[in-house]
Amino acid sequence: MRVGRLVSVLAAVMLAALVTGGGPAAGQSDYAQTGLTLHNQYRAKHGSPAMTLTQNLNNQAQKCAQYYAAKRTIDHSCPYKSGAGENLVGGQGSWDAISFVQMGTQMWYDEIKDYDFNTPGFSARTGHFTQLVWKASTRLGIGYASEGGWTVVVGLYNPPGNVEGQYPQNVLRPR
């Protein structure tokens, strides 16, 4: 009798999590989990808190990835991002999702080499890096799509980063 009750309670909790969609992403894809792990490893180097994947941001990032793959370009015009910060990587070729997420996240972080911590602020050469480590961004969504030989990864961030005047407190030197 108690086991049956426990199963009913667990099923109700799981159903509630699926219906709400705004909390942590239950059952996220392997590539989204890979992206989260890499983000959190890089962010820890800069004293930024760990991010959490959310189902809502994952869904939006997935729609954006499909949008860009269909367009065969990445131009920050996705209508599904709802004000979230956005990192993009895309290109000709067919990569598996996990490898492309790993490569894209590494490329975003590697922009650190061009960031001037003595004069913090936005630069087109470092905007992916600063968004990735932005301390105030705590929720993440990762999307992946490949269509007709064009592959895209989208990272969405809430709250969005790269806010002018807030770089010194959000983009910290590596420890």
Side-chain angles (χ1 to χ4, degrees), residues 41-50 133 135 169-170 172-175:
Q41 287 171 358
Y42 291 132
R43 290 170 62 83
K45 293 180 182 184
H46 296 268
S48 295
V133 300
K135 193 172 187 176
Q169 64 267 36
N170 281 290
L172 308 177
R173 291 179 187 273
R175 297 177 175 176

Side-chain angles (χ1 to χ4, degrees), residues 88-123:
L88 304 171
V89 64
Q92 209 72 40
S94 296
W95 291 275
D96 70 274
I98 291 176
S99 296
F100 207 61
V101 166
Q102 289 170 327
M103 182 182 71
T105 307
Q106 180 71 54
M107 288 171 55
W108 299 334
Y109 185 78
D110 285 349
E111 291 179 1
I112 188 175
K113 71 184 181 335
D114 295 319
Y115 190 72
D116 184 356
F117 287 94
N118 295 318
T119 311
F122 181 78
S123 163

Side-chain angles (χ1 to χ4, degrees), residues 53-88:
L53 284 174
T54 68
Q55 194 61 54
N56 188 45
L57 280 173
N58 276 345
N59 291 343
Q60 290 171 282
Q62 185 60 37
K63 285 181 182 179
C64 286
Q66 291 166 335
Y67 169 82
Y68 293 125
K71 283 180 67 166
R72 289 177 169 47
T73 189
I74 51 173
D75 58 8
H76 293 284
S77 66
C78 180
Y80 308 111
K81 59 186 171 184
S82 301
E86 182 183 52
N87 275 349
L88 304 171

